[in-house]
Each structure stands twice: as C-alpha cells, then as structure tokens.
Amino acid sequence: MKILVVEDEPKAGAYLVKGLQESGYVADLARNGVDGLALALEHDYDLIVLDVMLPQMDGWAVLARLRERKQTPVLFLTARDEVADRVKGLELGADDYLVKPFAFAELLARIKTLMRRGPVREMELIRIADLEIDVLRRRVTRHGDRIELTAKEFALLHLLAKRQGEVLSRTQIASMVWDMNFDSDTNVVDVAIRRLRAKVDDLYADKLVQTVRGMGYLLEVRS
C-alpha cells in the first residue's frame, strides 16, 4: 500500500513517514501543498494524509483540486479542531479527519479502515471487450475509435458498465441517470438506449448493449 504524506513541519513529516514505513507501508513525503498536489495527480496512491495549514497551497485547495481528477482517499491530519473545519473538510470530499495531537495507533486504525473501503471506490478506467471508458476524462473508445457521447449518453453507458452483467429496469435507469421517476409509458430510456447503441454498437460486430425483454437492459459480452 502506497501512502502520500503532505506535511510541512519537518519533525512531524519525518515521524509520520518513518512510522508508516515501519508499519509496512510505502510512504512519500511532500512539504507543501503544490508539491503534494503534483505527486497526488502524478502517482496512484492508496491514501493521502493531508495537513490543512500548508505553504504555497493549503489543504482545502489541494483537496478541491484533487477531487477534480481523482477520488483517492484523503485523511486530514491537522491541529484545526473546530467543528466548522471538520465539516468543511468532509464537504470538500475528505474521507476522514484526525486532530493533532493524535496517537499513532489511532492513525493506523483509521488508515486500515479507509483501506478496507478501497475496493468500492469508483473505477477510473472500465474495459469491456474492446470498449474503454475513461471515467475521469469522460472519454469513450471502442476498438481504438473515439466515440463522442452527450453527457446523458455517457452517464447511461457508465451506469451500465459499472453494473456490467446486471439487468437494470427502465425505472432504475431513469432514476439513476435522469434523477427522476418517469411514468411507465414514457419511452425516454428506450430512445436513449437506441441512440447509445447507434454510437457504441452499430459499427461493430460484437454487440454489448443487450435487451432482456420485459425486464430492461444490460451491458455484457455475448458469444
């Protein structure tokens, strides 16, 4: 497991890195917000331990910028213990918040808890046969060909891909993609599926968007 520590205080940073390494983790250290953000975006860390009060760019800004590109778990570790600060961190997308001074054993326990959540994080790249969905860049290709989708078409494809092999009813799709409950006689989902097929399936031999009559739709490879 690879962890990035963003901490400007030299002794605290060295202590954290040493303790994490002795606990079996690979740990990198950044001493300011700009370097921390650059490392976080360049490398695939399993967790980021982030201070709030940092030179050049504070922890709030680092997290906000990071969340534009990645969903790496972030644990704020800071002396700021006001409730408003904790709320702000969580609203920006932090996964946990630990106030200094702290017991290293508690930090390790929280890290292990966050690591256990790791597998449910959203995949950044989904591959199904020759279809590739780059979730972060919202880019879709099939057999190397770039496929241009509207925002709703991408949301629909992403939903089907995340639930690959699972039949989703029209009501489920309408709720998750359009955030609405459509009347049973509304064919908006069927129309959207037809448009998606025209772009994703029609030009290719293997069809991925499947219909299960009377039930709904799914995305899977069929021989």
Side-chain angles (χ1 to χ4, degrees):
M1 294 292 186
K2 193 172 182 180
I3 296 175
L4 172 64
V5 176
V6 188
E7 169 63 66
D8 64 313
E9 205 285 310
K11 289 185 178 180
Y15 169 73
L16 285 167
V17 169
K18 182 180 179 181
L20 290 169
Q21 290 174 342
E22 290 176 348
S23 301
Y25 298 104
V26 175
D28 292 338
L29 176 64
R31 297 193 182 279
N32 62 68
V34 171
D35 290 346
L37 178 63
L39 285 172
L41 293 177
E42 181 179 355
H43 303 284
D44 292 324
Y45 290 100
D46 296 288
L47 178 75
I48 299 171
V49 178
L50 180 63
D51 194 4
V52 173
M53 303 306 293
L54 294 167
Q56 299 187 33
M57 179 185 293
D58 66 28
W60 309 130
V62 171
L63 179 58
R65 292 281 299 278
L66 176 69
R67 285 292 177 258
E68 294 174 0
R69 297 267 303 277
K70 289 188 172 184
Q71 297 301 315
T72 309
V74 171
L75 187 155
F76 267 127
L77 185 62
T78 176
R80 300 184 62 143
D81 62 352
E82 296 293 329
V83 172
D85 291 326
R86 301 187 195 194
V87 171
K88 180 177 181 180
L90 295 172
E91 287 181 341
L92 284 171
D95 297 270
D96 203 351
Y97 198 108
L98 185 58
V99 176
K100 299 176 183 177
F102 62 93
F104 193 77
E106 182 181 1
L107 174 64
L108 286 179
R110 292 185 182 226
I111 287 173
K112 290 176 182 177
T113 297
L114 290 175
M115 293 298 192
R116 285 197 294 268
R117 297 181 196 168
V120 301
R121 284 182 288 154
E122 183 175 276
M123 295 175 62
E124 297 177 1
L125 183 65
I126 303 175
R127 291 189 179 93
I128 302 172
D130 57 355
L131 174 71
E132 288 194 0
I133 305 169
D134 187 327
V135 177
L136 294 178
R137 295 176 177 81
R138 304 181 71 80
R139 180 177 298 175
V140 176
T141 60
R142 181 146 192 208
H143 198 61
D145 303 325
R146 179 74 178 270
I147 299 174
E148 298 293 340
L149 299 178
T150 66
K152 288 301 182 186
E153 287 168 349
F154 182 88
L156 174 57
L157 179 63
H158 185 206
L159 172 63
L160 293 171
K162 285 193 299 183
R163 308 278 284 269
Q164 179 185 173
E166 178 182 346
V167 179
L168 297 176
S169 70
R170 290 168 177 81
T171 301
Q172 286 177 300
I173 293 172
S175 175
M176 292 183 224
V177 175
W178 284 269
D179 195 26
M180 293 178 62
N181 293 317
F182 290 102
D183 295 332
S184 58
D185 60 347
T186 302
N187 67 348
V188 63
V189 174
D190 299 321
V191 171
I193 288 287
R194 284 199 298 271
R195 290 175 177 168
L196 184 63
R197 277 180 169 146
K199 295 181 178 182
V200 171
D201 272 348
D202 284 2
L203 298 178
Y204 304 93
D206 295 325
K207 310 306 179 186
L208 300 179
V209 182
Q210 315 293 346
T211 301
V212 179
R213 292 189 181 279
M215 296 180 66
Y217 300 98
L218 76 158
L219 195 69
E220 71 173 6
V221 181
R222 291 183 177 176
S223 55

